Amino acid sequence: MRATLSVLLVGWLTGCTEAALKTVNTAPTALITSHSDGSEVELGSELRLIGRVADDEHGPDALTASWYVNGTGACTDVEPLDDGTTVCETAVSEGSVEIILEATDPKNLSGKDTVRITVVVPEAPPENVPPSVSILSPIEGVEYDAGTPIELKG
């Protein structure tokens, strides 16, 4: 009985070592909130990208966010705000644009969100035509005495 108890006790102690415990690190998540997939935007000076990053095991202060536009780093290794929001302002050119937001945790796991937008040249404003005006009063050629009020109509 004593030998059986010793074997059970040794087996139980070796089964509960730290080597038997494993921690799981899930990948963080990224979500682009400023634009939806397939949206169309007008070409302008800069495009403002907004997104959120999160991770079950790490707070936003432990994550980094990176923005890529057509495969090129636009804003990389950005520290998100306390609520996980991340912002990037970047120039884009006309045409189809792929935007990727990537969140990376301290253990180098990452999660991504991708949207594709189309950047179009805005329509030209209508031709700048001067307004037409006409003076109805005072009538041309009529003389008025100094100090007399003159009603203007147009």
Side-chain angles (χ1 to χ4, degrees), residues 4-18:
T4 305
L5 184 57
S6 296
V7 170
L8 285 175
L9 186 58
V10 169
W12 179 75
L13 287 174
T14 57
C16 292
T17 63
E18 286 186 36

Side-chain angles (χ1 to χ4, degrees), residues 122-128:
E123 291 184 26
E127 186 179 329
N128 191 9

